[in-house]
Amino acid sequence: APEVVQALVEHCSKVLGRPDRVERCVLHLDVTSLDLNQVIRLCEQHRLYSALTYVYNRIGEYRRPVTDMISAAVFAHSSRAGEPSAAGAAGSRAAAGGLEAAAEQRKTVLYKLLVYLRCTFRGHAFPPGSGELHLPQFYGSSGDRPFAGSAVEELKAQLLGTLLFLDTADLAKEWGRPAEQLREAGVTDPHPALQVLLSVDAAATTCVLGEAVEGWDAVETDLRAAAGKPAEELDSVLVATQVLVNAMIGLLGANSLLHDQHHSNLDSVLDFVIQLLAAGRVTVAPKFALQLLQHIAKRAAAAPAASTTTESASAFAAHQYRLTQQQQAPEDLFVKVVETVGITGLGQQRVDPDKMSPEGAAKVLQMAEAAGFLRAAALVHHLQGSYEAALSTHLRISPSSGVFTYIDKSLNGGLRAQDAAQLRSSVLEVALPLIRSDPAAAAELVLRHLPEECGNILARTQSDEQLQFVFLQALLCQQQLLLQQQESASEDLLQAPRPMAVFTGSMANSAGALDLLSRADVAETYVRLLCRFEPSSVLPFLMQGGSGGATHAAYDVRRCIAFCKQYGVTDAQAYLHERLGDLDAAMALHLALVSKSNTALVEVLASSPAPAPQTSSADNVHDARPVTDVHISWLSALSAHLRTIIPRVCGTSSTNSSAGRSSRINSSARPTSLAAGSPQRPSLAASTGSSRPQVEGVRISRAPSVCIPLHESGAGREAPITTPAPPQLAAAWQALSQATGFCRRSSKAAARYEAAAAAAASAGGSSLAPAASGSADFQWFKLMEVYVEQLRVLSYHHQQQQQHEGQQQQGQQGG
C-alpha cells in the first residue's frame, strides 16, 4: 500500500539516517505505490540518481535523468559549499578533502550516466540486469513521435540530440539557474552536455556514443527534432555519426577538452575520430586531417616506450578493450586517413579545398618519413603524381613484393591513360632495382604491362650480365605460363555457348611478347649467356629450340658457334657445325671431347683407386674386394644396355679371380635395383652440384651412389657398401653418347643419300657421288680408334692394379 511504502521511506531517511537504503528499496518497488513527489525530492536531496532515474523511466521520462545527472556533475563543488568547515590548517585540509570528494562525486555521477546511456541505446532497462526497455507510452518532447522509427531509435535520437544540440541557454533554463552561474562552473558552448561527459572519461564516452551511432542511419534533422531543437534550414543533411564527429571536432577547436595534464581526453577523442575516418564513415577538413596524422605519428613514435592504448579505469574497460582489438597498425591508419582525405596533385592549377594542398602534402610526407611509414610516403608520392619517387619508396620496403602489386593495381584501371603512361615510363627508369628485388615478378610485370619494352629493358641490363641472364630466364618462364593460360582460354572459348573474347586484360597486353625468342637478338643473347653461366644447357636449348618455342631460324648459327668456341662449349659447337653440314669439323670436335673426357677419367682411375668399402657391420674384417667390382657397378648405373651385357661379360672374362668371386660378381654383386629387365632406371645423383634436369633427347647419366653387396667372411650375410662414382665417368659417358649419336645420324643420312642415288640411277637420271657412305664409315672408324686406344690405357692400369694386389696378398701369406 502507498502508506506502508511511504512509512518505509521516512523510516530509512529520517529515523535510520540511511537514505541510500531508500534507493535500494525503490529499485525493487512499483513506483505507482509511491508518493512520487516525495521520492523524487528525497532522491534529489540525497543525490540518489539510480533511484531517480528508475522512477523517471517508469513514468516514461528518459530525457530528465540525463540533464539532472549532468547538472549534478557540473555543480558537485557548489553542492558542498554550504557544509560547515573548520578554521586554520585543519580547515585547509578539510577544504582540500572536500574538493577531492566533489571530484569523486562528479566522476561517480557521470559514470552512472554513461551506464544509463549505454543501457538505453541498447534497448535495455536501467539499472543493468532489469531486462528489456519497456516503451509503450514513449513520445518525444513535443508529444509527437520525432520520426518514423522504432521506439528505441526514437529514444536514442532524443538522448543523443540532447547531448549534441542543447546549449548553455537551454541548460540554464532546464536547471533553473542563471547563465552566469553556468559559466562560473565551467560550462560553455559549444555542446556543453557532451563537453561535460568527455571531460571526465573521453575513452568511455566515445565508446558508448560510438556504439550508439554504429550502423544507424538517422540524420541531423531527426536528432534536432527529437531534442526539441529543429533547424529552420540546413546547408546539408548529415548522418548521426558525422554530426557526432563534427561536435567533437568543434570541442577540440575550442580547446574544451584540455582539463587534465596528460591530455588523455584529447588523445581518446582523436583516436575515435581516426577510427571512423579510416573506416570511411566520416569526413574531415584537410587542416584537421593534418592534426590527426600528426597524432598517429606521435603515437607510433611513443609505442616502444609505452602502450599506445589506455584502458579506462571505469566500468567500460571491457568495451574499451573490444574497441582496442579492432584498432589497426599505426601505418595502416595513416595510409587510410591519407586515402580518405586525398591530396591535390602536383602541377594542378586548381587546388581542391576538400583535399590536402601541396604544402599540406609536404608536411604529411615529412611526418611519414620521420615515423618510418614508407607505404604512406609512397602513397603521398603516388597521389601527387610523382610515380618514380613512389616506386623508389616502395623498393625501400622489405619485402619489396608490394611494389609489383602497386604497379599492377595502378595499371589495371587504377589510373587515367595519361597517368598510366607516366607510370610506365617511371617503371623503365627503375627497371634494374625492380629486377634485382624479384626477377620473376619483374618478368611477369614486363610481359603483362610492358611487352613492347622487353628489348629496351634487356638492353638496360647489359652492364650486369648475371642479372641479365637471370631476368631473361624469368622472362622465358613467365612467357611459357602465359602461353599455357592462352591455350586454356582458347579451350574455354571453344566450349563457351556464346561468343566471348579469347584474351582480355593483361593477357592481351602480353600477346606481342609471346614470340620473344623469335627475335634473333634476344635468342643470340640468351645463347651467349647460357654459354657463360650454364654451359650444360646450351645443347638442349639449341636442339629443342628453347622453352619459349623459338625456331632454329631465330638465331645466327655462325654467331652461336663463335659463342660456343669462346666459352668452350664443345658439344653445342659440334652440333652447330653439324647443322651447317660441316661433318668433318663436327666429328673432330666430338672426337676431341671423347678423348679429353676419357683421358680425365683414366687419370682419376689410375691415380686414385676406388675407396675401401665402408660397411655398417660391427666387424671390421672383410674380404678384400677388387676395384673391378666397383667399376662394374658404376657402369651398370649408366645405361640399361650396359646392365644387360656387363654380367655376361664379367662372368666369362674376369681374370686373376677365383671361381667363387666370378660367381659372386655375376649374381650377387649386381644390386637388385640394377638387375637386367628392371622396369625403372635407377635415380642418379648429380655429382657436379647442378640440379637442372636434362631435357629429353640428351640423356646424361649422373654419377650414382651405388650400393654393392659385400659377403662377410663366415657370416653368410650381405652388408651394403656405398661407393660414389667419379664425375668424370658421367662426363665420359655423355661425350660418348653424343659422338655415337652423331655417327648414327651421319649413317642414316648416308643411307638416305644412297637410296636417293639408287632411285635416281634407276630412273635414268644423273648419278650422285657415293661419298656419303664412305664418310659415315670413316667417322665410325675414327670413333672406334679413339675409344680402343683409351681402353688399352685403362686395361694397362687395371693389370698394374691387379699385380699390386697379388703382391700384397703373397706378402700377407708369407708373414
Side-chain angles (χ1 to χ4, degrees):
E3 296 80 5
V4 176
V5 175
Q6 185 64 31
L8 175 62
V9 172
E10 292 180 356
H11 177 75
C12 291
S13 59
K14 296 180 179 179
V15 178
L16 299 179
R18 295 290 303 274
D20 56 309
R21 292 191 176 183
V22 176
E23 185 171 44
R24 298 180 185 178
C25 294
V26 170
L27 294 176
H28 294 85
L29 295 176
D30 184 1
V31 297
T32 59
S33 62
L34 301 176
D35 183 346
L36 295 181
N37 291 330
Q38 181 186 12
V39 173
I40 290 174
R41 187 170 54 254
L42 180 66
C43 291
E44 289 177 345
Q45 179 182 356
H46 295 282
R47 298 184 290 274
L48 305 177
Y49 294 105
S50 294
L52 184 63
T53 302
Y54 175 78
V55 172
Y56 277 135
N57 287 174
R58 288 298 176 177
I59 62 176
E61 176 60 58
Y62 293 92
R63 179 177 174 274
R64 180 67 180 273
V66 176
T67 57
D68 282 357
M69 281 190 271
I70 291 177
S71 175
V74 170
F75 299 106
H77 296 81
S78 61
S79 65
R80 294 181 174 268
E83 297 180 359
S85 59
S92 298
R93 289 193 296 271
L99 291 176
E100 293 178 0
E104 190 63 29
Q105 177 185 334
R106 174 187 174 91
K107 289 184 178 181
T108 302
V109 172
L110 290 180
Y111 283 142
K112 188 169 294 186
L113 173 57
L114 289 174
V115 173
Y116 168 64
L117 290 173
R118 185 186 64 182
C119 290
T120 307
F121 291 154
R122 291 181 174 183
H124 299 162
F126 180 84
S130 301
E132 299 297 320
L133 196 63
H134 187 58
L135 298 169
Q137 299 178 347
F138 172 72
Y139 291 90
S141 59
S142 62
D144 298 326
R145 293 187 180 275
F147 63 96
S150 67
V152 174
E153 290 180 342
E154 296 171 12
L155 179 55
K156 185 190 298 186
Q158 186 188 76
L159 299 185
L160 193 58
T162 299
L163 294 174
L164 295 177
F165 297 114
L166 291 188
D167 53 23
T168 53
D170 297 323
L171 292 179
K173 181 179 179 180
E174 184 87 19
W175 297 337
R177 294 174 180 267
E180 183 65 25
Q181 194 174 2
L182 269 68
R183 285 193 293 273
E184 292 176 356
V187 180
T188 58
D189 289 324
H191 316 290
L194 179 62
Q195 182 182 150
V196 172
L197 270 178
L198 291 171
S199 65
V200 172
D201 193 331
T205 302
T206 55
C207 179
V208 172
L209 298 182
E211 184 180 346
V213 298
E214 185 175 0
W216 192 32
D217 58 356
V219 295
E220 183 177 0
T221 53
D222 298 331
L223 303 182
R224 287 183 173 274
K229 299 276 293 184
E232 296 181 359
E233 184 178 355
L234 295 174
D235 295 334
S236 60
V237 179
L238 306 177
V239 296
T241 307
Q242 186 68 57
V243 174
L244 175 60
V245 168
N246 288 349
M248 293 184 176
I249 293 175
L251 292 177
L252 292 172
N255 294 326
S256 300
L257 297 177
L258 303 180
H259 294 300
D260 61 306
Q261 58 180 350
H262 299 294
H263 292 197
S264 61
N265 287 334
L266 174 63
D267 293 343
S268 297
V269 173
L270 291 176
D271 289 339
F272 176 70
V273 177
I274 288 170
Q275 292 286 348
L276 293 176
L277 181 61
R281 296 173 56 187
V282 297
T283 59
V284 298
K287 184 177 180 180
F288 184 71
L290 281 175
Q291 184 178 354
L292 298 178
L293 293 173
Q294 186 177 9
H295 173 70
I296 297 173
K298 182 187 70 174
R299 280 294 184 90
S307 174
T308 57
T309 59
T310 303
E311 292 188 5
S312 173
S314 66
F316 299 89
H319 304 283
Q320 178 66 17
Y321 177 76
R322 179 179 62 84
L323 292 181
T324 302
Q325 291 298 95
Q326 297 175 353
Q327 289 181 358
Q328 305 172 52
E331 185 173 9
D332 293 336
L333 290 175
F334 199 102
V335 168
K336 289 189 176 182
V337 169
V338 173
E339 287 178 339
T340 303
V341 177
I343 291 178
T344 302
L346 295 176
Q348 292 188 4
Q349 298 180 353
R350 178 180 174 273
V351 177
D352 191 339
D354 295 330
K355 295 183 179 181
M356 292 277 187
S357 64
E359 295 77 12
K363 295 179 181 179
V364 174
L365 186 60
Q366 184 178 4
M367 285 188 288
E369 291 284 355
F373 295 163
L374 295 181
R375 287 193 296 112
L379 175 62
V380 174
H381 287 304
H382 172 79
L383 295 177
Q384 288 182 318
S386 302
Y387 299 115
E388 186 172 348
L391 292 170
S392 299
T393 306
H394 271 294
L395 286 169
R396 292 164 54 193
I397 303 173
S398 181
S400 59
S401 57
V403 65
F404 300 101
T405 303
Y406 159 69
I407 298 172
D408 187 69
K409 182 178 179 181
S410 300
L411 294 179
N412 279 334
L415 293 175
R416 297 175 304 173
Q418 181 179 358
D419 294 333
Q422 185 178 353
L423 177 57
R424 289 189 180 92
S425 177
S426 300
V427 170
L428 292 178
E429 295 301 321
V430 296
L432 292 183
L434 286 173
I435 296 172
R436 290 191 181 97
S437 65
D438 191 335
E444 182 180 4
L445 173 68
V446 170
L447 288 179
R448 289 184 180 277
H449 298 291
L450 300 167
E452 68 283 356
E453 299 291 343
C454 283
N456 185 7
I457 295 176
L458 281 173
R460 291 171 182 263
T461 60
Q462 287 180 352
S463 59
D464 188 346
E465 289 196 341
Q466 178 70 49
L467 181 66
Q468 186 180 41
F469 177 58
V470 172
F471 177 61
L472 187 51
Q473 282 191 316
L475 275 177
L476 298 179
C477 180
Q478 292 297 329
Q479 175 183 278
Q480 187 66 23
L481 293 177
L482 287 175
L483 282 171
Q484 294 173 359
Q485 292 178 14
Q486 290 192 353
E487 291 175 358
S488 176
S490 300
E491 294 176 359
D492 295 340
L493 175 64
L494 296 176
Q495 299 175 1
R498 293 180 296 178
M500 58 177 288
V502 180
F503 307 123
T504 59
S506 59
M507 292 177 62
N509 295 337
S510 62
L514 293 179
D515 57 349
L516 189 62
L517 284 179
S518 64
R519 295 173 46 179
D521 57 338
V522 176
E524 291 170 11
T525 299
Y526 188 52
V527 171
R528 179 177 57 82
L529 295 174
L530 280 176
C531 289
R532 178 178 177 183
F533 298 108
E534 202 171 302
S536 62
S537 299
V538 178
L539 181 60
F541 172 77
L542 295 175
M543 294 182 68
Q544 297 188 354
S547 59
T551 63
H552 288 301
Y555 55 85
D556 187 319
V557 176
R558 298 188 183 278
R559 285 178 57 85
C560 292
I561 288 176
F563 297 147
C564 294
K565 184 177 181 180
Q566 177 183 355
Y567 294 102
V569 188
T570 308
D571 54 351
Q573 183 181 355
Y575 170 75
L576 292 174
H577 277 293
E578 182 181 353
R579 281 199 52 204
L580 290 177
D582 190 355
L583 302 184
D584 291 338
M587 188 62 198
L589 290 170
H590 279 299
L591 292 177
L593 185 61
V594 169
S595 179
K596 179 181 178 181
S597 59
N598 284 347
T599 300
L601 177 60
V602 169
E603 291 177 355
V604 169
L605 297 179
S607 61
S608 178
Q614 300 295 326
T615 178
S616 59
S617 172
D619 187 6
N620 293 327
V621 180
H622 308 288
D623 288 340
R625 190 160 185 79
V627 177
T628 306
D629 294 1
V630 179
H631 293 172
I632 290 173
S633 299
W634 291 346
L635 294 175
S636 298
L638 289 174
S639 166
H641 181 63
L642 290 177
R643 289 199 300 273
T644 303
I645 65 174
I646 282 178
R648 296 197 298 269
V649 174
C650 293
T652 58
S653 61
S654 294
T655 61
N656 298 330
S657 298
S658 63
R661 179 178 301 172
S662 299
S663 175
R664 186 169 71 249
I665 295 173
N666 188 38
S667 58
S668 63
R670 185 161 45 92
T672 306
S673 61
L674 304 179
S678 175
Q680 297 181 350
R681 184 173 182 173
S683 176
L684 305 179
S687 61
T688 60
S690 174
S691 59
R692 176 178 296 273
Q694 295 300 319
V695 295
E696 189 65 24
V698 181
R699 302 185 180 275
I700 302 174
S701 300
R702 299 294 187 181
S705 293
V706 183
C707 291
I708 306 174
L710 175 66
H711 182 72
E712 295 187 10
S713 177
R717 299 191 305 269
E718 299 293 333
I721 298 177
T722 302
T723 305
Q728 290 81 356
L729 179 62
W733 179 256
Q734 179 182 358
L736 177 62
S737 299
Q738 293 171 355
T740 53
F742 167 74
C743 291
R744 283 194 297 270
R745 291 190 299 273
S746 299
S747 299
K748 291 179 180 179
R752 290 192 297 270
Y753 185 89
E754 291 179 355
S762 62
S766 59
S767 60
L768 300 178
S773 176
S775 177
D777 294 340
F778 175 75
Q779 292 164 6
W780 278 106
F781 288 139
K782 290 292 294 182
L783 177 61
M784 293 298 295
E785 180 181 349
V786 171
Y787 225 81
V788 167
E789 179 62 27
Q790 295 297 333
L791 289 176
R792 288 175 180 172
V793 175
L794 183 61
S795 176
Y796 170 77
H797 286 292
H798 178 58
Q799 292 176 1
Q800 294 294 324
Q801 181 67 28
Q802 287 182 330
Q803 292 177 3
H804 178 68
E805 290 179 356
Q807 293 175 358
Q808 287 183 340
Q809 291 178 359
Q810 293 177 1
Q812 291 175 358
Q813 292 176 358

